[in-house]
Amino acid sequence: MRERSSTKLRCLLKQGKTLVKPGAHNALAARIIEQAGFRCCGVTGYGVSVSLLGRPDVGLTTMSEIVMVARYIASAVSIPVIADADTGFGNAINVMRTVEEFIAAGVAAIHVEDQVAPKRCGHVAGKQVIPLDEMIGKLRAADRVRRELDPDFVLIARCDARGVAGGSVDDLIRRANAYLEAGADMIFPEALTSEAEVERCAREIKGPLHYNRTGVSPRLTLERLNQLGIAIVSNATGALRASAVAMWDYMHEFARDDVALVNRFTEQHRKHPAGDLHAFVGFSEIKRLEEEFLPREEVAKKYAGAVGFQP
């Protein structure tokens, strides 16, 4: 029987070293993350909003849209996938279905945040947080569902209390410890603004931490994060940003140079691992499967003398 993704993640976390979690906005990004040697990946809510809708991360995506992308990503890789579940898409009752859907999608964990809906990126001003008791109810409901369906499923509670108007690390820590008591396995203290704040959270929050090394937060080294005992560090939008810059550059050069750019690009990337996209995405594996399961004569006939990429 195939080991559950959640069980794999639990095993990785038990190793006691900071787990680096690049974010994927689609299945192709997730496959590249896995091939780069990372042991887990995230489903970035920011990235899904931008790549799927072409709009900012301000609560415009639905549960079904995020779960759909998460399912594609989890199916494309063998490493554990940690998904952004935003606010849980409603109250505690809605959160119960949200957990059911993400577990069914094959992800190993989700993080649910305590923002008021519609939420927004944790590193953008204008956030608000819900009352403590409301978030505790959401986490208790989520915990009940995951215990029934997949006890190894990791429940991460994200707290945005530092980044709201008038917010403080004191309030974040108070909430975080209450979230752990409510059933969260890990705390995601969002929008910390200094190394001292990270150190204090690591010291005073009574559970493992997920840290988002981006935006307003300090870019601490992996060595330093290990010293602090951080469980997971996120690079949520790196793949998205890299692809956006690359596409911008390509399209503007293409608009200027037409097919000369196409030829130049092909030659420049001829030896790149992803330069031959047909080979990179697995056409050769499809042919191997055809040869294994389809009539031999049929396979030979469809390829012999055919025009196009030959796996």
Side-chain angles (χ1 to χ4, degrees):
M1 181 181 294
R2 183 180 178 184
E3 184 180 31
R4 285 193 178 194
S5 178
S6 56
T7 305
K8 288 182 182 179
L9 180 59
R10 293 269 183 183
C11 291
L12 289 172
L13 292 172
K14 286 179 181 178
Q15 295 177 8
K17 294 185 178 180
T18 303
L19 191 60
V20 180
K21 186 199 79 174
H25 54 284
N26 59 27
L28 178 60
R31 287 189 59 189
I32 293 172
I33 288 167
E34 181 176 43
Q35 291 178 26
F38 291 99
R39 296 179 295 167
C40 73
C41 78
V43 179
T44 158
Y46 187 114
V48 172
S49 185
V50 172
S51 62
L52 196 64
L53 306 181
R55 295 186 175 186
D57 181 17
V58 290
L60 299 175
T61 49
T62 65
M63 180 196 70
S64 58
E65 288 171 330
I66 298 288
V67 169
M68 174 188 70
V69 176
R71 180 177 289 108
Y72 290 152
I73 288 174
S75 297
V77 296
S78 60
I79 56 177
V81 174
I82 301 169
D84 183 352
D86 284 352
T87 63
F89 305 100
N91 65 17
I93 311 307
N94 299 99
V95 167
M96 296 177 81
R97 180 172 178 237
T98 295
V99 175
E100 291 174 357
E101 292 296 322
F102 276 108
I103 289 175
V107 304
I110 57 172
H111 43 83
V112 180
E113 63 207 52
D114 57 4
Q115 279 197 46
V116 170
K119 56 82 49 134
R120 60 180 53 208
C121 170
H123 294 260
V124 174
K127 301 174 296 295
Q128 295 176 299
V129 290
I130 61 177
L132 175 62
D133 287 349
E134 184 178 350
M135 184 61 176
I136 286 174
K138 287 187 177 187
L139 293 171
R140 289 178 54 236
D143 182 42
R144 174 182 291 187
V145 173
R146 67 84 179 264
R147 288 181 184 276
E148 293 174 352
L149 299 181
D150 180 4
D152 281 343
F153 189 76
V154 179
L155 180 58
I156 304 169
R158 177 175 136 180
C159 184
D160 284 75
R162 171 66 183 92
V164 300
S168 68
V169 178
D170 287 340
D171 191 29
L172 187 153
I173 292 171
R174 178 178 68 89
R175 283 172 170 260
N177 285 323
Y179 296 167
L180 290 167
E181 291 180 5
D185 298 298
M186 186 179 298
I187 298 298
F188 180 168
E190 182 66 300
L192 302 177
T193 62
S194 68
E195 184 172 350
E197 291 184 356
V198 180
E199 290 174 351
R200 187 178 169 200
C201 286
R203 184 174 61 250
E204 298 183 31
I205 294 174
K206 299 179 176 65
L209 301 185
H210 172 296
Y211 178 59
N212 194 6
R213 189 170 50 182
T214 190
V216 302
S217 297
R219 271 58 160 186
L220 303 180
T221 65
L222 188 57
E223 179 183 12
R224 181 61 179 136
L225 294 172
N226 272 295
Q227 291 171 353
L228 292 169
I230 302 300
I232 299 174
V233 62
S234 173
N235 177 245
T237 60
L240 175 72
R241 292 171 187 271
S243 60
V245 169
M247 283 190 286
W248 173 278
D249 290 346
Y250 181 94
M251 289 302 168
H252 281 73
E253 287 187 54
F254 182 46
R256 183 192 65 208
D257 297 344
D258 192 54
V259 75
L261 179 275
V262 178
N263 294 333
R264 185 166 67 245
F265 181 91
T266 301
E267 186 58 34
Q268 288 174 346
H269 298 91
R270 190 174 301 281
K271 295 183 179 180
H272 191 282
D276 187 336
L277 197 59
H278 296 317
F280 181 68
V281 299
F283 272 99
S284 297
E285 174 64 9
I286 296 300
K287 184 181 180 183
R288 188 193 68 76
L289 292 171
E290 289 175 334
E291 291 172 339
E292 182 175 357
F293 296 113
L294 299 183
R296 182 176 304 176
E297 297 79 10
E298 178 183 327
V299 175
K301 182 178 180 181
K302 70 191 294 185
Y303 283 102
V307 175
F309 173 79
Q310 288 284 353

